């Protein structure tokens, strides 16, 4: 389960879902893996504005990963200066910045392979096995 | 504005125009359809430029190719007259180009002698370049449209090839060659068409909440989208060692477009409510080949923690969460409500929905935040499935006077009581 996906996940219980305490889920006994993927500038730029940056910072801290800057980088910081932002075709040829590479590595290459995700509100634990998280609930939590 | 000829495949007729229109709106191309009929593979359109024609068709699945229209007629004399009128200024610029002539007869046949004489009837072009079978600079094709069993075509076109489509990819993704499939895996051709109609593309995030073996995420990944999928059935995602959703992405070299898969139920989704999805595609369970179920205990109850020994059952290895049958209509409304909350402005939802043939005109589910874009029908013998595509309206376009009301559903009952389609399916679609 990649760290980017975790930024979009909260507790599956209806009573928790809208509560701030249920997001983000907290990793427990997490075994991390890094799987290399192709750098994808259009996607990274598109997704940047949809991230909850504070939740990402919390997650990095809880996983013992290096601290993130206080706020999300601007889309312009992803490509070397002088890049034509409007032209996707040109963009592929341009070099991503170190900021972009770090973000790609964190969001799209780093993931939880084994472990648990814990709701900060109800304490329910969701298991992650072989990178696949299970959000099914027992009937007393439905 | 210039005229172009699109050569469609004569299959999935009701999907062809929606795919074409979706590609036009995706690329922001002004498309004017001049002539289109469900029973013909030839369609003429007006477009602003050759570049627009190229862009429009280069990722189509149901079109074979697009041609610049050099002439059209109801017989050869009228075709030649039209060719003279249209190409007086054009053909000269190809004088020394390598070229190739072909004939494409729909529902008709010409032997090779007849083909040669037809091609030679165009020798007034005076092309001096070499004839090349592969990669000629100028590729002209004579198209003949016949009524069934007719001796002569009723319509003839001459076109210059601009570009082919991505139709060959339906073979690459053919289920027969896919390593991991199940009874519900979706045919590659219509999966790719669905991805086109839903505007899957590079930079976008697409989600399938009923992913099964991943047919739609793979089709979306082919067009460059990043994909997320989930399913209530953990076995379909995990599969077996080396044969699972991940191995399918590996097979096609698309792993960089697979964000994640997880196990969940749409009525208890862990996705936080935010406008984070560019597209949603799904073929929800009909309750025929696979159960239509959600989390919960049939007949209610189950509020207490189940213990095995001194430990709660749900915290133990191999625990399976109880599931109960679910109303088909409730599921459709849940999908719309979820999509309305999660899609970005103008993001699209495509949903497959089965219907008994006799009910084909019946209810298309609606939501005030979603605008129905297209309805395509794939007919089977006594039933059909429809592809419904919606666009998430930007806030400014939403009619705020419409109050969202959920229909009332049967809460509990047998699978048949909750799903009229399933009931009819197993009764052989007789009149009730």
């Amino acid at each position: 389960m990649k760290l980017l996906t975790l930024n979009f996940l909260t507790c599956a219980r209806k009573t928790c879902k809208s509560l701030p305490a249920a997001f983000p889920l907290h990793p427990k006994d997490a075994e991390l893996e890094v799987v290399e993927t192709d750098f994808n500038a259009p996607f990274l730029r598109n997704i940047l504005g949809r991230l909850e940056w504070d939740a990402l910072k919390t997650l990095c801290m809880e996983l013992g990963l290096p601290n993130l800057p206080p706020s999300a980088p601007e889309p312009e910081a992803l490509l070397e200066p002088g890049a034509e932002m409007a032209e996707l075709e040109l963009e592929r040829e341009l070099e991503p910045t170190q900021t972009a590479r770090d973000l790609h590595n964190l969001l799209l290459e780093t993931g939880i392979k084994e472990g648990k995700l814990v709701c900060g509100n109800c304490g329910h634990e969701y298991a992650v096995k072989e990178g696949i998280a299970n959000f099914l609930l027992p009937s007393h939590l439905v | 504005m210039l005229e172009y000829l699109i050569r469609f495949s004569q299959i999935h007729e009701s999907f062809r125009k929606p795919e074409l229109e979706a590609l036009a709106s995706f690329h922001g191309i002004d498309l004017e359809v001049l002539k289109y009929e469900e029973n013909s593979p030839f369609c003429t359109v007006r477009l602003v430029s050759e570049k627009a024609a190229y862009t429009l068709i280069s990722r189509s699945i149901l079109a074979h190719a697009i041609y610049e229209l050099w002439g059209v007629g109801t017989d050869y004399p009228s075709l030649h007259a039209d060719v003279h009128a249209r190409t007086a200024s054009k053909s000269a610029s190809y004088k020394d180009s390598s070229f190739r002539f072909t004939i494409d007869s729909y529902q008709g046949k010409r032997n090779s002698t007849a083909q040669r004489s037809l091609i030679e009837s165009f020798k007034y072009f005076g092309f001096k370049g070499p004839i090349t079978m592969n990669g000629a600079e100028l590729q002209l094709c004579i198209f003949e449209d016949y009524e069934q069993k007719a001796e002569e075509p009723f319509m003839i076109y001459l076109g210059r090839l601009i570009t082919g489509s991505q139709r060959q990819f339906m073979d690459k993704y053919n289920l027969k060659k896919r390593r991991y499939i199940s009874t519900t895996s979706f045919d590659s051709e219509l999966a790719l068409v669905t991805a086109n109609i839903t505007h899957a593309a590079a930079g976008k995030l697409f989600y399938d909440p009923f992913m099964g073996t991943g047919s739609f995420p793979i089709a979306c990944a082919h067009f460059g989208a990043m994909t997320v999928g989930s399913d209530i059935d953990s076995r379909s995602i995990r599969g077996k060692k080396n044969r699972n959703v991940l191995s399918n992405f590996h097979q096609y070299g698309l792993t960089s477009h697979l964000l994640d898969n997880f196990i969940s139920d749409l009525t208890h989704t862990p996705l936080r409510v935010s406008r984070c999805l560019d597209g949603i595609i799904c073929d929800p369970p009909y309750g025929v080949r696979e159960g239509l179920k959600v989390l919960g205990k049939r007949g209610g109850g189950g509020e207490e923690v189940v213990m095995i020994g001194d430990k709660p059952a749900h915290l133990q290895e191999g625990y399976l969460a109880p599931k109960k049958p679910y109303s088909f209509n409730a599921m459709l409304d849940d999908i719309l409500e979820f999509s309305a909350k999660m899609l970005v402005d103008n993001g699209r939802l495509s949903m497959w929905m089965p219907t008994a043939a006799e009910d084909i005109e019946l209810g298309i589910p609606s939501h005030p935040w979603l605008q129905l874009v297209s309805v395509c029908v794939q007919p089977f013998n006594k039933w059909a499935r429809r592809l419904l595509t919606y666009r998430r309206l930007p806030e400014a376009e939403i009619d705020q006077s419409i109050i969202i009301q959920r229909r009332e559903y049967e809460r509990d009952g047998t699978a048949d009581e909750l799903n009229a389609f399933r009931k009819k399916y197993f009764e052989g679609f007789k009149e009730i």
Side-chain angles (χ1 to χ4, degrees):
Chain A
M1 174 127 292
K2 298 196 169 80
L3 299 200
L4 176 59
T5 313
L6 283 172
N7 201 261
F8 294 104
L9 296 172
T10 173
C11 184
R13 289 182 69 182
K14 288 208 164 93
T15 46
C16 291
K17 212 174 163 187
S18 55
L19 302 175
F23 177 79
L25 297 170
H26 304 286
K28 185 180 162 191
D29 307 327
E31 181 191 326
L32 294 182
E33 65 175 345
V34 176
V35 181
E36 205 178 305
T37 64
D38 298 340
F39 181 76
N40 187 335
F43 179 70
L44 203 56
R45 197 183 57 194
N46 194 16
I47 209 73
L48 203 55
R50 302 178 196 174
L51 293 176
E52 287 286 345
W53 193 256
D54 286 341
L56 192 62
K57 282 196 292 186
T58 308
L59 185 66
C60 285
M61 200 181 66
E62 290 177 354
L63 289 171
L65 295 169
N67 281 337
L68 290 177
S71 60
E74 295 297 320
E76 291 75 26
L78 296 180
L79 292 169
E80 291 299 346
E84 288 284 332
M85 292 307 285
E87 287 288 335
L88 290 182
E89 302 305 321
L90 282 173
E91 201 172 289
R92 280 192 200 104
E93 324 249 320
L94 296 163
E95 281 297 300
T97 58
Q98 192 56 44
T99 306
R101 289 195 182 286
D102 290 347
L103 208 53
H104 173 76
N105 175 262
L106 179 73
L107 295 173
L108 290 151
E109 297 188 324
T110 311
I112 294 181
K113 192 176 179 212
E114 301 285 333
K116 294 188 175 76
L117 298 168
V118 187
C119 171
N121 187 56
C122 72
H124 186 67
E125 296 179 353
Y126 299 96
V128 182
K129 280 181 192 161
E130 293 166 346
I132 298 170
N134 185 338
F135 291 96
L136 299 185
L137 296 163
S139 55
H140 67 278
L141 299 180
V142 167
Chain B
M1 294 294 264
L2 301 159
E3 290 182 17
Y4 297 89
L5 174 80
I6 296 168
R7 170 60 159 103
F8 279 115
S9 61
Q10 192 57 33
I11 192 170
H12 304 311
E13 292 85 351
S14 76
F15 293 73
R16 300 185 305 185
K17 225 171 148 194
E19 192 203 37
L20 188 67
E21 286 164 349
L23 291 172
S25 69
F26 173 71
H27 292 293
I29 293 170
D30 279 327
L31 168 73
E32 186 190 342
V33 178
L34 301 170
K35 182 167 176 284
Y36 173 84
E37 274 156 27
E38 298 274 286
N39 56 10
S40 169
F42 307 114
C43 161
T44 49
V45 297
R46 194 170 283 150
L47 296 164
V48 70
S49 66
E50 180 163 335
K51 184 167 179 276
Y54 183 93
T55 309
L56 181 66
I57 294 303
S58 56
R59 59 173 273 187
S60 170
I61 298 296
L62 292 176
H64 283 286
I66 189 163
Y67 297 80
E68 183 181 48
L69 192 63
W70 275 26
V72 55
T74 50
D75 52 22
Y76 276 91
S78 65
L79 173 69
H80 285 299
D82 195 42
V83 167
H84 279 295
R86 286 178 191 257
T87 63
S89 60
K90 271 180 214 152
S91 55
S93 57
Y94 293 99
K95 211 113 215 142
D96 300 311
S97 308
S98 59
F99 72 101
R100 179 187 182 189
F101 246 103
T102 47
I103 298 189
D104 177 354
S105 302
Y106 175 66
Q107 295 191 143
K109 246 184 190 162
R110 299 271 188 193
N111 63 34
S112 56
T113 324
Q115 290 198 5
R116 184 166 310 159
S117 75
L118 284 178
I119 290 171
E120 280 173 359
S121 73
F122 289 95
K123 68 178 176 225
Y124 53 79
F125 281 133
F127 296 134
K128 299 202 166 39
I131 296 170
T132 314
M133 293 322 277
N134 283 319
E137 291 160 289
L138 172 66
Q139 298 190 44
L140 291 172
C141 188
I142 304 162
F143 298 94
E144 298 186 317
D145 203 352
Y146 290 74
E147 299 280 7
Q148 261 183 349
K149 292 176 184 158
E151 291 288 315
E152 290 296 321
F154 67 94
M155 198 61 89
I156 312 162
Y157 308 86
L158 181 69
R160 176 180 65 86
L161 179 69
I162 293 171
T163 182
S165 66
Q166 295 213 4
R167 193 159 174 75
Q168 73 276 17
F169 283 104
M170 59 187 257
D171 189 46
K172 174 182 175 183
Y173 296 103
N174 191 327
L175 292 181
K176 286 180 186 156
K177 301 179 209 162
R178 192 171 299 174
R179 279 179 52 80
Y180 174 62
I181 57 169
S182 75
T183 54
T184 59
S185 295
F186 210 94
D187 155 61
S188 67
E189 180 177 13
L190 285 178
L192 290 164
V193 170
T194 309
N196 259 341
I197 292 179
T198 322
H199 289 177
K204 293 187 177 184
L205 181 59
F206 268 63
Y207 175 55
D208 180 351
F210 304 95
M211 70 179 301
T213 59
S215 306
F216 290 116
I218 286 166
C220 295
H222 166 75
F223 290 116
M226 190 66 82
T227 63
V228 180
S230 66
D231 203 288
I232 196 169
D233 183 357
S234 68
R235 292 166 303 180
S236 80
I237 298 176
R238 295 186 193 277
K240 298 211 163 90
K241 198 171 160 53
N242 300 327
R243 278 182 195 263
N244 48 45
V245 173
L246 182 62
S247 78
N248 279 345
F249 275 81
H250 266 295
Q251 181 182 344
Y252 300 121
L254 293 173
T255 44
S256 288
H257 294 280
L258 171 61
L259 185 58
D260 262 308
N261 302 316
F262 55 87
I263 302 152
S264 81
D265 164 18
L266 189 70
T267 64
H268 292 84
T269 177
L271 287 169
R272 68 175 159 90
V273 179
S274 73
R275 309 278 302 277
C276 63
L277 300 174
D278 295 283
I280 297 171
I281 296 188
C282 60
D283 178 24
Y286 314 162
V288 174
R289 280 174 293 191
E290 66 297 80
L292 181 51
K293 291 189 169 167
V294 289
L295 290 175
K297 217 161 169 260
R298 190 192 294 235
E303 281 88 5
E304 330 66 43
V305 179
V306 178
M307 305 293 283
I308 297 177
D310 54 356
K311 277 168 87 183
H314 67 275
L315 298 181
Q316 297 187 28
E317 198 69 24
Y319 172 77
L320 288 177
K323 297 169 192 111
K324 63 180 181 187
Y326 178 33
S327 150
F328 186 68
N329 287 328
M331 174 182 69
L332 297 178
D333 284 2
D334 283 338
I335 294 169
L336 292 194
E337 194 178 315
F338 172 81
S339 305
K341 287 180 186 162
M342 302 295 290
L343 284 173
V344 298
D345 283 354
N346 298 311
R348 290 186 167 204
L349 159 70
S350 279
M351 163 167 91
W352 285 85
M353 178 186 164
T355 331
E358 69 225 43
D359 297 341
I360 199 73
E361 298 306 324
L362 284 183
I364 288 172
S366 67
H367 189 287
W369 299 356
L370 300 171
Q371 180 190 52
L372 188 68
V373 177
S374 62
V375 179
C376 309
V377 183
Q378 184 187 20
F380 295 105
N381 189 11
K382 289 177 174 169
W383 64 288
R385 56 182 178 185
R386 293 188 284 185
L387 174 64
L388 308 177
T389 301
Y390 302 82
R391 173 176 75 101
R392 169 60 157 95
L393 294 168
E395 299 302 324
E397 292 180 41
I398 293 175
D399 182 350
Q400 302 293 349
S401 68
I402 302 174
I403 299 155
I404 301 169
Q405 279 183 321
R406 275 187 72 91
R407 292 184 275 179
E408 283 296 313
Y409 312 103
E410 293 290 328
R411 284 285 151 211
D412 267 302
T414 66
D416 270 358
E417 284 161 7
L418 293 170
N419 184 346
F421 176 76
R422 176 195 153 92
K423 189 164 184 284
K424 287 184 180 176
Y425 187 95
F426 285 115
E427 286 173 354
F429 295 107
K430 277 168 258 151
E431 290 291 340
I432 301 162

